[in-house]
Amino acid sequence: VQLQASGGGLVQAGGSLRLSCVASGVTFSSYVMGWFRQAPGKERDFVAMLSRLGGSIRYADSVKGRFTIFGDNAKNTVYLQMNNLKPEDTAVYYCASGNSFATGAGFMDYWGQGTQVTVSS
C-alpha cells in the first residue's frame, strides 16, 4: 500500500489550499481514509477522516466549518480542502488509511510521506 500526499505550500492567513492523497495497492472505497497533522514538537493529531463504504465523515473540532474531506473513487484519491487557514494550522499534513474509524493515529495502518503546510500571519 502506498499513499502519496501533495498540495502543501505557503499561504497567508485566510487563504486556501487543497491537499491530495493518491492511494495505490488498496481498494480505496473499502478503507477509512484520514488526514492528520503534526506541528514541530507536538504529537500527530487527527484532522479529518471519511469512510467511503459507510459514507461517514469526522472532523476535529478545530477545523470544523473550514476544512472539507472528500474522495474520488475513480481516482483512488482523497482530498482535504482547507479554507480560512490560520497560523495554528501550520504543520506537516499526513494522509493515512486503515480499517478503523477511530481518530487516534495509532489506529491507522498506512501513512503517506507528509506535505508541509505553512500559514503566515
Side-chain angles (χ1 to χ4, degrees), residues 32-117:
V32 171
M33 300 295 295
W35 288 96
F36 293 74
R37 65 186 181 186
Q38 189 167 19
K42 295 189 176 181
E43 294 184 350
R44 190 167 297 187
D45 291 331
F46 164 72
V47 176
M49 63 173 44
L50 67 84
S51 168
R52 296 294 287 175
L53 196 60
S56 300
I57 292 177
R58 276 184 165 173
Y59 294 102
D61 288 342
S62 58
V63 306
K64 280 181 182 177
R66 300 188 299 122
F67 291 11
T68 302
I69 186 172
F70 60 100
D72 185 333
N73 281 351
K75 295 182 178 180
N76 242 26
T77 301
V78 63
Y79 302 94
L80 185 69
Q81 177 66 41
M82 306 185 294
N83 297 329
N84 191 21
L85 282 160
K86 303 176 181 181
E88 51 264 41
D89 295 318
T90 295
V92 177
Y93 283 70
Y94 297 89
C95 66
S97 68
N99 286 311
S100 172
F101 205 53
T103 59
F107 290 99
M108 305 306 282
D109 299 322
Y110 304 103
W111 292 88
Q113 84 286 4
T115 184
Q116 176 71 46
V117 171

Side-chain angles (χ1 to χ4, degrees), residues 7-18:
L10 173 64
V11 64
Q12 289 187 332
S16 298
L17 283 174
R18 177 178 291 185

